[in-house]
Amino acid sequence: MDSNVKELATEVLPYIRVYKDGSVDRLVDSPIVPPSNEDPETGVSSKDIVVSKSPPISARIYLPKHVEQSPKVPLLVYFHGGGFCFESAFSFVETKYMNRLAKQANAVVISIEYRLAPEHPLPIGYEDCWTGLQWVASHSIDGGLKDEPWLSTCVDFDRLYVGGDSAGANLAHNILLRAGAEGLNGVKIKGAFLTHPYFWGSKPIGSEIKNNEEREKLATYMIWHLVYPEAPGGIDNPMLNPVVEGGPSLAGLGCSRLLITVAEKDFVRDRGVSYYHAVKKSGWKGELMELVEIEGEDHAFHILAHESETSMKLIQKLASFIV
């Protein structure tokens, strides 16, 4: 046997392989690309910044053209998808998506580069995103941080939004609950959008596979056990199953506007719809909640098939929500 061949510990195909020596192969990552002084397509400027040295958290921040000469604009704090274990705020597809969103919303956007499982198992990713959001919010306080001038001089913190896709939408949901419970340095989150949120649970709903043995082979099940092996309650931990009995009340979501988007062919489509109805029934006191379903499309199509007409329309919808 070749001594150089690494021994496989686990894999969730087609996404990731983990070896017994602790190394990881991420099989579907988009290439990492640098920021740009001026994106050729959108004119948006971007740069990479350090949010925290300990723990190590960074971000890519985007500034639409001419914003510095205009009244202050909204701010979107974004959490990328990738099952908590792959993709990056610095990847090609995420950067293209953020450039377009920043331009169309005319908003400053900051995408948090949180640490990935399995090297950094959950709840580390949740904590990194909360730390990142606190750091951002601290720029709104008189005498607070002024580390990033695009935040301290260009942003109207009364129009703070959070958002994410897939696992990033899961992160955004959990951030909203924490902001509602703990507050955010006096800043209120105006709105949030959850795009194709990665939620799951042990009991099948809607059109999901009913057979338990088959369900345990699904990526939605296997990824969670890989990224959060010590999760209390396992697959029914409220961080993954927000409608589970005994979980935190969805009435506590800390925002006043909420947009949930699902895709017809998406394997987590029914979870997003269930979440929408659960929030409606919870007694949440927000001023606006909307559910949008895109027909004929699959999970994260707006990022993976970013040149399609449907992708452009969804980005326009998300941008129009940020007011």
Side-chain angles (χ1 to χ4, degrees):
M1 180 178 177
D2 187 344
S3 61
N4 293 321
V5 175
K6 294 190 289 186
E7 194 171 353
L8 186 68
T10 188
E11 62 183 1
V12 183
L13 297 177
Y15 305 108
I16 191 168
R17 287 195 180 101
V18 183
Y19 298 94
K20 290 186 176 179
D21 66 1
S23 60
V24 176
D25 285 341
R26 292 178 167 88
L27 307 175
V28 292
D29 274 357
S30 172
I32 300 299
V33 296
S36 173
N37 288 331
E38 184 174 320
D39 175 58
E41 177 189 340
T42 63
V44 171
S45 301
S46 59
K47 61 183 177 179
D48 295 342
I49 58 177
V50 174
V51 171
S52 167
K53 292 182 178 179
S54 181
I57 306 169
S58 54
R60 181 162 288 177
I61 187 168
Y62 300 81
L63 185 74
K65 206 168 187 177
H66 306 310
V67 159
E68 291 170 297
Q69 287 79 45
S70 65
K72 292 188 175 184
V73 298
L75 169 65
L76 170 65
V77 180
Y78 191 80
F79 312 114
H80 71 79
F84 307 101
C85 61
F86 59 94
E87 262 304 325
S88 167
F90 308 138
S91 78
F92 170 78
V93 292
E94 292 292 340
T95 298
K96 181 168 281 291
Y97 176 34
M98 293 296 100
N99 276 324
R100 289 174 173 174
L101 196 52
K103 179 188 178 182
Q104 294 189 34
N106 195 40
V108 172
V109 178
I110 181 167
S111 181
I112 304 296
E113 179 75 344
Y114 54 90
R115 289 172 289 173
L116 298 179
E119 299 96 327
H120 305 284
L122 294 178
I124 288 174
Y126 292 114
E127 294 299 326
D128 285 356
C129 290
W130 178 248
T131 297
L133 182 60
Q134 287 182 307
W135 179 86
V136 168
S138 67
H139 286 74
S140 71
I141 303 168
D142 289 338
L145 279 180
K146 302 299 178 189
D147 290 1
E148 177 42 60
W150 289 1
L151 294 176
S152 57
T153 63
C154 300
V155 164
D156 176 2
F157 278 94
D158 289 332
R159 292 188 284 167
L160 170 62
Y161 287 76
V162 300
D165 61 277
S166 192
N170 177 298
L171 286 160
H173 156 75
N174 284 287
I175 288 291
L176 290 173
L177 283 178
R178 189 162 180 177
E182 299 180 19
L184 187 63
N185 298 326
V187 179
K188 301 288 188 182
I189 299 173
K190 183 173 183 179
F193 63 78
L194 311 185
T195 308
H196 311 161
Y198 172 29
F199 298 137
W200 202 246
S202 62
K203 295 180 180 178
I205 64 172
S207 60
E208 292 175 2
I209 291 172
K210 306 297 189 290
N211 182 278
N212 283 336
E213 288 187 11
E214 292 183 23
R215 286 177 66 81
E216 291 179 6
K217 296 176 183 177
L218 295 173
T220 44
Y221 184 97
M222 296 176 67
I223 286 280
W224 183 250
H225 286 289
L226 172 67
V227 300
Y228 200 173
E230 304 301 323
I235 206 77
D236 283 318
N237 183 283
M239 287 179 150
L240 183 65
N241 186 356
V243 301
V244 70
E245 185 176 350
S249 171
L250 298 179
L253 291 170
C255 66
S256 59
R257 306 176 79 243
L258 186 60
L259 172 63
I260 300 149
T261 59
V262 298
E264 180 187 13
K265 297 180 180 179
D266 189 0
F267 53 92
V268 291
R269 178 257 179 207
D270 293 330
R271 296 285 166 174
V273 174
S274 171
Y275 176 81
Y276 166 79
H277 290 297
V279 176
K280 284 189 72 173
K281 294 176 183 176
S282 72
W284 178 69
K285 302 297 185 182
E287 65 184 43
L288 172 70
M289 181 167 60
E290 185 177 0
L291 174 68
V292 173
E293 178 165 10
I294 309 299
E295 294 182 357
E297 295 291 354
D298 211 330
H299 191 72
F301 72 89
H302 59 298
I303 297 173
L304 302 176
H306 50 78
E307 300 297 344
S308 73
E309 182 180 351
T310 315
S311 298
M312 300 293 192
K313 287 182 178 178
L314 177 57
I315 293 171
Q316 289 171 359
K317 175 64 180 177
L318 298 174
S320 68
F321 178 73
I322 300 171
V323 296

